[in-house]
Structures are given as structure tokens and as C-alpha cells.
Amino acid sequence: MPGSKQPVYNPDGSYNYAYSIYGSKPNTALAEATIVIFLVVTVAHLVQAVRYRTSYMIPAVLGALFEVIGYAARVLSINNPFNTNLYAVQQLFIVVAPVLVSASQYVILGEIMQSVDPRLAPVRPNLVAKIFVSSDVVSFVVQAAGAALLIVDTSYATTTSHIIVAGLAVQIASFAAFLGLAALYYIRVRRAAIAAADADGEPPSASAGLADYYPSSSSSKPRPPQYATENPAVHPRWPLLFAVLATGAAAVLLRCLYRIVSFGASLSLSEYY
């Protein structure tokens, strides 16, 4: 590290990565490829958000942009491994980015609940985002504080890891509750669809939702009132959106678990992590 007695340069003039915060030279090509991937994702989501006026996707767009900034800082940091500010900036943006992505996921689940059948929701759809975003704000502040501390003084690296792990733990608990809520709602909808299909004497389709069994004007069989949706305009392929949402949420949860392990075991100091 700068200011230490360890050699910063090798005899050939190249950086001595063994004494940098990385421990060895990271793979620059992987970081550059990640920049391109997230840049494409950022532009794609931004275009769709503007086209369809989905303001709730703005946090996801910012999250993808944060990844671009974070990995750009990583490339710069790899090329200047003893600049602790660059290292701290990459940690800040890469660690915090998924918090923004998850904010959009909370809103999407609420929109699905409201569109399909809000009466089957475990909590009121308009409260989903408020509850989980509040939790994520706490996680965001804790993780950002940990990364900021690293900028102030790299000697707090161990303390920083503990702070970030605490923030990640809050996010994991919140996300696990979110996934449980989403799963419970989906189960209720599927059961309602099956009950509605039984009333007609026909089996539900593989992707059945309440919209598939909304009573038509020609139907003479009454639906159970507790299962009849109030919104016949629900797109019949909403389970596909739900599956994408669940997959994205599971990926964020997996990332949080991975980060806790990496910080807790100091794996972030090894390229192999």
C-alpha cells in the first residue's frame, strides 16, 4: 500500500500487485466485458421506461448505471492498484447497485397484485413497495457508510467489511420476506384459478391465472364470488412476468449471500472469488 515499506513496483517497472489491496492482478477483460453488458442493459431499460412511461423502472435503470460506473472504476483501479480511492469507488457502486434494482422489483410485484386480484394479496398492493423500500433504505445507508469509510481511511478495511456485511444481512432478511410474500400470492392465485376452473368443470391451463377464468357473458355457470376477479383485462401471460420477477429477485438474493461470504471470508481480496 502507498506509504508502506513494501515495494510498489517490480524490478521491471510494473506494479507489484502482491502488495496491493488485490493481492494479485485481477482480470481486466472480465471487468470490461461486464461494463459492456450492463451498459446495454442500462440503455435497453431506459428506452423501455421512456417508451412505456414506467417511472417505477427508474431505480432499475440507475442500478444498472451504477454497475457500469462501478466496473469502470474497477478497470481504472486495476490499472492503478495503489489508488485506494478508485478501489473504494468501485466497491461503493458495485455493492449498492442491486439495492436500486430491487426497488423496482417491489413496485412490479405490487402492480401484479393490483392487476390480477388485490383481494388475494397478503398485504395491500400499494404497501408492498413502501414496506420493502423502507427496509432497503436502511440497507443502502449501512452499505454506503461502510464503503465511504474505506474512502476515508483504508486502515478500516476490516471494520468496513463488517459494516457492509451488516447492511447485506438486512437486505437478505428483507428480500427473503419479499420472496415469501410473492410466493404466497402466487399460490393463492393458482388455487383460486383451480377453484374457478372446477366451477366450470374444466381443468386449468398450465399458466392459468384468474384472468383465464373470468366469466363470459355466455357462461351459465356462476363463479364462486371469492374467486372471481374484478379485472377481466389482465393479460393472460402475466405468470411469465411473475416468473421473470421471481428469477430476478432470486438473483439479487443469491448475490447478497455471495457478498456476505466474500466479505466475511476476505474472498474479495482474491481474484478467484
Side-chain angles (χ1 to χ4, degrees), residues 241-265:
L241 173 60
F242 191 93
V244 172
L245 172 63
T247 301
V252 172
L253 180 62
L254 180 62
R255 169 263 179 195
C256 292
L257 292 171
Y258 158 74
R259 280 294 178 180
I260 280 188
V261 174
S262 68
F263 279 109

Side-chain angles (χ1 to χ4, degrees), residues 89-113:
V89 168
Q90 69 152 317
Q91 289 288 74
L92 174 63
F93 282 94
I94 293 175
V95 167
V96 169
V99 178
L100 296 173
V101 175
S102 62
S104 291
Q105 295 175 333
Y106 300 148
V107 178
I108 292 173
L109 178 60
E111 291 291 327
I112 290 176
M113 289 178 172

Side-chain angles (χ1 to χ4, degrees), residues 168-189:
L168 288 169
V170 173
Q171 189 176 9
I172 285 177
S174 175
F175 232 79
F178 171 71
L179 287 173
L181 180 70
L184 178 58
Y185 180 72
Y186 187 79
I187 290 172
R188 287 183 177 183
V189 171

Side-chain angles (χ1 to χ4, degrees), residues 190-204 213 221-224 227:
R190 287 288 298 159
R191 287 177 177 174
I194 292 173
D198 288 342
D200 274 348
E202 59 184 34
Y213 301 103
K221 297 181 180 180
R223 302 288 178 134
Y227 297 132

